[in-house]
Amino acid sequence: MFNKILIANRGEIALRVIRACKEMGIGSVAVHSTADADAMHVRMADESICIGPPSGTQSYLSIPNIISACEITGAEAIHPGYGFLSENANFVQIVQDHGLTFIGPTADHINMMGDKITAKDTMKNLGVPCVPGSDGGVPTLKDARKVAEEMGFPVIVKATAGGGGRGMKLARTADDLEEAFSTARSESKAAFGNDEVYIEKYLTLPRHIEIQVFGDGKGRAVHLGERDCSLQRRHQKVFEESPSPVVDAETRARIGKVCADAVAAINYAGAGTIEFLYENDEFFFIEMNTRLQVEHPVTEAVYGVDLVREQIRVAAGLPMSFEQDDLVPDGHAIEVRINAEKLPEFRPSPGKITQFHAPGGLGVRMDSHIYDGYSIPPYYDSLIAKLIVHAPDRPAALARLKRSLDELIVDGVDTTTPLHRALLEEPDILSGNYDIHWLEKWLETYR
Ligand code: ADP
């Protein structure tokens, strides 16, 4: 096992990894920008080291600074958290070239899944159901027209290198195609330096359902059921639950096995998430994330496992501590993301927190790095807390979420808590009847 792990991240996820290190008796090294000198992850880690000025590109994304921090502190492995360098294959290669261990999959697997056309091809060949679409990239408008007309409108033009909802454009009819095609290409070129796009059938009322998988890198893999993340604003998830209100045990076992077998076949190592759109009882693969997800705690709650501990074990060459038959879901979990943002515009609201009280009690988990007097810096994303509740069933989890939100106090900055409170009054949310467009539509009338 490692003696010391460096966490190449900040905020709640850095704390999450530090907690796992402490419980495993492993030393932890926090890295931080000058803007984060007072951050909680810096206080909680065994050691800390400054890696640059506030700008992410000069600190949390600076590969030379992070490698130097490992050399100075003697850390043997790096946990990337999510975001920042977590899906950067070049970083993984450099980490290995320096004799260090990356806690996550190989550079090859990250490359394979980071290029969406390759990812789709790979998954299709492994028997994972995919959204109907073009065979690979679509180089010209003429090709785009041909594919779209064969498939039928609406279609969605997507960047091969895409991520975070960028480089993705909908064409409802043939008249929209030219613009969708050229904007998707130029957006992708600007954001990712690559203008290759492909085309998919646009599913009109799907849910977003993702399967958590975990592999040992040696041909064994398991699944840990699904998370339903259909409530999204601008492709950003705001409310996540497990199990999905629309997936039964038989369906879970079937799609879960398809996913576990697929990642086992490629010798995938560590945690991964296979994302699907789900419509008319069918799953359609859209992408695989080769890292720990923000919403991993709902899976941890329902399956009673520590996914970060497991990531560290597998990276250290130990076997997984569970087999598929050990993984039996129990109860229902919901996570809401609490952002420092002013509603209804969702405008970032950095600043000083004058009072903070975290909810507690049975079945309540609060993953957060904020504290009384903490100043949220304006340079990073606005997530300040994840509130996760677990209860025997969905109605009990909803009730627990409501009372936990009532206990939460964050003064001094605006947060998205009122949005979550309002959502819990909605009959569709209470009955689980929502798709990926529900929230955007509802927000049009939310003031
Ligand atoms: P990104 O990597 O940029 O997040 P994804 O491929 O994961 O892109 O898609 C993000 C979101 O875009 C999905 O959760 C869904 O809301 C929407 N989307 C993507 N592909 C389709 C499709 N074929 N039909 C309908 N909606 C889609």
Side-chain angles (χ1 to χ4, degrees):
M1 186 42 73
F2 309 113
N3 289 309
K4 208 186 263 190
I5 292 175
L6 179 141
I7 299 103
N9 216 304
R10 63 180 301 282
E12 67 84 20
I13 194 62
L15 267 184
R16 168 71 188 86
V17 179
I18 293 167
R19 285 175 172 146
C21 290
K22 292 203 168 181
E23 291 179 17
M24 296 174 83
I26 300 171
S28 52
V29 179
V31 295
H32 67 90
S33 69
T34 50
D36 273 341
D38 294 329
M40 190 59 99
H41 73 285
V42 176
R43 294 193 189 184
M44 289 294 166
D46 296 326
E47 289 172 65
S48 68
I49 183 161
C50 181
I51 51 163
S55 141
T57 42
Q58 292 175 274
S59 53
Y60 299 103
L61 288 165
S62 166
I63 297 176
N65 295 7
I66 289 170
I67 299 288
S68 305
C70 277
E71 287 179 346
I72 293 166
T73 57
E76 306 151 47
I78 300 181
H79 195 299
Y82 53 69
F84 291 123
L85 295 167
S86 60
E87 288 175 293
N88 184 321
N90 181 41
F91 175 60
V92 175
Q93 196 54 56
I94 294 172
V95 168
Q96 276 167 4
D97 292 346
H98 284 77
L100 304 164
T101 303
F102 178 77
I103 301 174
T106 61
D108 283 350
H109 284 146
I110 294 178
N111 272 329
M112 179 190 280
M113 297 304 163
D115 179 289
K116 293 193 170 185
I117 291 178
T118 314
K120 229 176 137 174
D121 265 1
T122 309
M123 287 299 177
K124 210 158 138 189
N125 291 333
L126 291 166
V128 177
C130 294
V131 189
S134 58
D135 250 337
V138 177
T140 67
L141 181 61
K142 199 165 151 234
D143 298 313
R145 284 209 191 289
K146 190 159 172 283
V147 175
E149 262 146 34
E150 272 169 24
M151 211 156 48
F153 286 90
V155 300
I156 185 162
V157 186
K158 295 171 80 169
T160 307
R166 279 174 302 178
M168 207 160 46
K169 290 287 164 228
L170 168 64
R172 289 196 186 278
T173 65
D175 293 342
D176 304 333
L177 190 62
E178 183 168 357
E179 196 187 329
F181 185 73
S182 66
T183 7
R185 282 184 65 164
S186 54
E187 245 184 61
S188 176
K189 179 89 190 161
F192 312 108
N194 172 352
D195 67 357
E196 188 179 38
V197 295
Y198 63 107
I199 293 185
E200 268 179 3
K201 180 82 190 157
Y202 181 74
L203 304 175
T204 46
L205 293 171
R207 297 178 78 111
H208 173 115
I209 296 181
E210 55 187 37
I211 306 290
Q212 175 73 54
V213 289
F214 205 98
D216 70 353
K218 298 167 191 156
R220 264 187 66 217
V222 296
H223 74 85
L224 296 96
E226 79 284 3
R227 294 182 288 259
D228 194 321
C229 315
S230 301
L231 280 181
Q232 301 183 0
R233 175 179 171 269
R234 301 201 175 151
H235 304 304
Q236 300 295 313
K237 300 160 186 167
V238 301
F239 179 109
E240 298 113 343
E241 60 182 315
S242 182
S244 164
V246 298
V247 173
D248 61 24
E250 186 271 322
T251 307
R252 174 173 314 115
R254 179 171 48 81
I255 190 71
K257 182 167 187 327
V258 168
C259 292
D261 287 350
V263 294
I266 58 170
N267 293 328
Y268 185 82
T273 296
I274 304 190
E275 296 193 337
F276 293 95
L277 295 176
Y278 179 82
E279 192 171 72
N280 300 327
D281 302 329
E282 275 191 85
F283 287 91
F284 300 98
F285 169 78
I286 46 172
E287 69 166 342
M288 175 165 179
N289 292 320
T290 50
R291 56 172 163 82
L292 193 68
Q293 305 264 110
V294 177
E295 59 273 22
H296 75 277
V298 292
T299 300
E300 293 187 321
V302 170
Y303 283 87
V305 298
D306 179 337
L307 287 169
V308 176
R309 180 189 182 92
E310 209 59 28
Q311 286 186 299
I312 295 171
R313 281 178 58 91
V314 165
L318 296 173
M320 288 193 290
S321 57
F322 39 67
E323 306 208 7
Q324 192 63 61
D325 289 347
D326 303 327
L327 297 166
V328 182
D330 172 33
H332 197 97
I334 305 175
E335 172 183 286
V336 293
R337 299 191 193 190
I338 295 169
N339 292 346
E341 287 171 359
K342 176 139 177 57
L343 298 169
E345 310 86 12
F346 294 86
R347 191 163 14 92
S349 171
K352 186 165 176 170
I353 292 170
T354 52
Q355 201 186 8
F356 171 55
H357 174 75
L362 184 65
V364 177
R365 168 175 171 182
M366 180 86 168
D367 277 20
S368 173
H369 55 290
I370 65 172
Y371 56 87
D372 265 341
Y374 173 62
S375 279
I376 303 166
Y379 311 103
Y380 314 107
D381 75 42
S382 52
L383 180 77
I384 54 167
K386 302 187 311 202
L387 171 58
I388 305 105
V389 295
H390 183 217
D393 56 29
R394 192 170 188 273
L398 288 164
R400 188 158 280 170
L401 180 58
K402 190 167 190 294
R403 78 98 178 135
S404 306
L405 285 167
D406 286 345
E407 285 180 21
L408 172 67
I409 300 171
V410 180
D411 285 344
V413 298
D414 288 294
T415 75
T416 50
T417 308
L419 167 75
H420 298 304
R421 288 208 181 100
L423 286 174
L424 290 176
E425 302 294 323
E426 286 297 322
D428 284 345
I429 301 299
L430 299 179
S431 65
N433 176 30
Y434 53 81
D435 58 51
I436 60 170
H437 304 297
W438 189 95
L439 183 59
E440 294 275 4
K441 265 182 246 152
W442 182 83
L443 282 169
E444 284 168 18
T445 57
Y446 175 70
R447 284 287 168 268

